[in-house]
Amino acid sequence: MPFNLIFEVQYPDERPLRRALVVYERVQDLSPAFERILPLLQDYTVRYFAAGGAFEGNPAFAPLNPRYARHKGHRYPGAPILTRSGRMRASLAGLTGDSVAEVSPDRLVYGTRVPYAVYHQMGTRKMPKRPPLRLSKPLTARILAALRRYLVEAGEG
């Protein structure tokens, strides 16, 4: 269940477009920018899980149904919502065998190979969505700022 980030840039007039083309000529490989962005995603994920989803304007994860909450409390005491073994959280917060962190010149793919993550992301008939991957507006701004800084540095080089 990789999570893809796609950026599109539009310019209202020709001058910035010409400047962008110069930068584009110099910057054919965005992997250095993506290498800067990956830790932003991982750090955000740690804080997002710790806040139970209620982080940077995102809503809290839907509560567990009472029956499952009792079961989980007995079987996995103290385990927060969206965490039982910690496998999914660890795969998104760092680099484990389940992590997806693929950087190429034109793409950053970030996610998890944990098979049950998709059920949390999308929800099921019996379980509400509790997305382990959800961007916030402030995170999106940090990602765009990192990309912009890289493009400016490359354009000046």
Side-chain angles (χ1 to χ4, degrees), residues 93-113:
L95 294 175
T96 70
D98 291 318
S99 299
V100 175
E102 300 166 7
V103 173
S104 67
D106 64 349
R107 189 172 185 189
L108 166 62
V109 181
Y110 167 73
T112 180
R113 289 183 184 87

Side-chain angles (χ1 to χ4, degrees), residues 6-87:
I6 299 170
F7 297 97
E8 181 177 317
V9 179
Q10 296 179 352
Y11 292 99
D13 68 37
E14 208 174 287
R15 285 183 313 254
L17 181 56
R18 272 187 266 149
R19 176 77 173 137
L21 290 173
V22 169
V23 172
Y24 177 77
E25 293 287 323
R26 292 183 186 160
V27 182
Q28 294 293 312
D29 181 0
L30 292 174
S31 57
F34 296 148
E35 293 288 348
R36 295 178 186 180
I37 292 168
L38 185 58
L40 297 176
L41 293 166
Q42 292 165 329
D43 176 64
Y44 172 83
T45 299
V46 169
R47 297 186 303 159
Y48 172 71
F49 268 75
F55 184 64
E56 292 190 346
N58 285 325
F61 298 135
L64 301 175
N65 76 48
R67 184 173 176 219
Y68 182 70
R70 281 191 303 277
H71 166 76
K72 185 176 178 180
H74 292 300
R75 187 92 191 232
Y76 307 97
I81 202 159
L82 264 193
T83 302
R84 193 166 77 184
S85 68
R87 178 181 172 195

